[in-house]
């Protein structure tokens, strides 16, 4: 009996009486008859289960499952041709779009073009040069990239974390990526895309009660104005307390963010 079955006890007794029991289940003492009937029902269920398994084993593959398998095979074939073109006798693999800094030995005299313009859905290249010399600049860029979000393009909240990663310590990046983000969930629920319009970092006020600045650690208060376009358009202001550390004394990275 399942939990959702609403048959009455009387109906279940009628069902049990409807079983076609063998002759040995109808003779003998009451206890012997009950045991024989129970054994008969158990055997019948076992035979039914085995029959269903055999039918499923012989059942041809369903059209939907066939389409999924065909698509999977085609996808694997395309991936293999892209990764190992020599296996299929293809030509040279197309050059991948990789941003790498040229070495001085092969660098042309032509002036380079500025390609650092980013959108909410773009992710910075790991090899992109970042300026980590100024603590205020690092704090502003980390928060700007982290609060610039485009859920349809980003997929999940780890995308803005990775955009801000060049300005953060590895420990902070791992912490943010592995934690939930209520602001992201709120943005998704409103169908919004967030863009930072203005941002400013200043030394954290004494009223915040944060440790005093040292040559290797400072605190900055970052105020960001964010414009959201979605089901309804609105603006919001975020005020965050940001800790920056510089173990070597030359490069700063965000190590902690308070107020998220």
């Amino acid at each position: 009996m399942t939990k959702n079955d609403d048959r009455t006890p009387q109906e279940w007794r009628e069902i049990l009486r409807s079983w076609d029991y063998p002759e040995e289940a109808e003779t003998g003492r009451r206890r012997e008859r009950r045991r024989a009937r129970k054994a008969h029902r158990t055997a019948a269920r076992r035979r039914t289960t085995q029959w269903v398994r055999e039918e499923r084993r012989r059942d041809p593959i369903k059209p939907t499952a066939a389409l999924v398998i065909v698509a999977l095979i085609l996808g694997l074939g395309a991936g293999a041709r892209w990764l190992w073109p020599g296996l299929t006798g293809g030509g040279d693999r197309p050059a991948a779009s990789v941003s790498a800094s040229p070495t001085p030995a092969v660098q042309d005299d032509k002036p380079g073009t500025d390609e650092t313009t980013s959108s909410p859905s773009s992710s910075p290249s790991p090899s992109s040069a970042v300026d980590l010399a100024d603590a205020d600049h690092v704090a502003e860029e980390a928060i700007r990239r982290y609060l610039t979000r485009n859920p349809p393009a980003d997929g999940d909240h780890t995308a803005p974390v990775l955009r801000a990663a060049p300005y953060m310590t590895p420990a902070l990046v791992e912490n943010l990526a592995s934690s939930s983000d209520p602001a992201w969930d709120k943005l998704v629920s409103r169908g919004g895309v967030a863009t930072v319009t203005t941002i400013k970092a200043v030394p954290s006020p004494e009223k915040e009660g944060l440790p005093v600045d040292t040559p290797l650690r400072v605190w900055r208060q970052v105020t960001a104005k964010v414009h959201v376009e979605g089901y309804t358009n609105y603006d919001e202001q975020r005020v965050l307390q940001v800790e920056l550390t510089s173990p070597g004394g030359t490069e700063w990275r965000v190590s902690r963010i308070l107020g998220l």
Side-chain angles (χ1 to χ4, degrees):
M1 186 191 309
T2 62
K3 294 182 179 179
N4 296 328
D5 203 321
D6 56 358
R7 292 188 177 93
T8 64
Q10 180 61 31
E11 290 173 334
W12 279 109
R13 283 193 287 271
E14 292 297 332
I15 292 175
L16 292 177
R17 293 194 189 100
S18 66
W19 277 76
D20 186 13
Y21 294 106
E23 183 177 354
E24 58 267 20
E26 303 295 341
T27 59
R29 296 180 179 179
R30 181 178 180 182
R31 178 176 297 180
E32 294 173 348
R33 293 198 305 271
R34 290 178 61 184
R35 290 178 178 175
R37 291 175 180 177
K38 183 177 180 180
H40 176 73
R41 291 195 299 269
T42 302
R45 285 195 296 268
R46 187 182 301 111
R47 289 194 297 272
T48 301
T49 301
Q50 184 63 29
W51 179 83
V52 170
R53 289 177 180 173
E54 292 296 331
E55 289 298 314
R56 287 178 177 176
R57 187 178 296 113
R58 291 194 294 266
D59 188 29
I61 187 170
K62 295 180 175 57
T64 303
L67 290 175
V68 172
I69 293 175
V70 170
L72 180 60
I73 294 174
L74 293 176
L76 291 175
R81 184 171 183 177
W82 174 261
L83 294 174
W84 301 287
L87 295 178
T88 57
D92 294 336
R93 177 177 173 178
S97 177
V98 179
S99 59
S101 301
T103 60
V106 296
Q107 195 170 18
D108 295 334
D109 294 334
K110 298 179 181 179
T113 57
D114 184 7
E115 298 179 354
T116 59
T117 303
S118 60
S119 64
S121 62
S122 64
S123 298
S125 170
S127 60
S128 299
V130 294
D131 182 8
L132 303 175
D134 182 70
D136 292 354
H137 171 75
V138 171
E140 291 173 354
E141 282 302 307
I143 299 304
R144 184 198 307 276
R145 296 187 180 204
Y146 184 64
L147 296 183
T148 300
R149 300 170 170 187
N150 185 346
D154 291 342
D156 57 48
H157 84 284
T158 58
V161 175
L162 295 179
R163 284 196 290 271
Y167 296 91
M168 297 179 175
T169 62
L172 179 59
V173 172
E174 182 179 358
N175 186 309
L176 292 175
S178 61
S179 304
S180 60
D181 189 338
W184 172 273
D185 298 335
K186 174 183 175 182
L187 187 67
V188 172
S189 68
R190 297 183 176 183
V193 174
T195 305
V196 176
T197 55
T198 63
I199 192 165
K200 180 65 176 178
V202 297
S204 295
E206 293 183 3
K207 65 179 181 179
E208 297 295 335
L210 299 171
V212 298
D213 290 352
T214 70
L216 303 181
R217 182 188 64 189
V218 298
W219 283 90
R220 293 292 182 265
Q221 177 172 283
V222 180
T223 302
K225 292 184 179 180
V226 183
H227 177 69
V228 178
E229 293 187 0
Y231 302 141
T232 57
N233 299 339
Y234 60 94
D235 295 299
E236 62 180 4
Q237 180 171 286
R238 303 290 299 274
V239 180
L240 306 172
Q241 305 302 326
V242 177
E243 179 191 55
L244 300 100
T245 56
S246 178
T250 57
E251 294 184 346
W252 294 95
R253 281 187 172 84
V254 175
S255 55
R256 200 183 338 175
I257 303 174
L258 304 181
L260 290 177

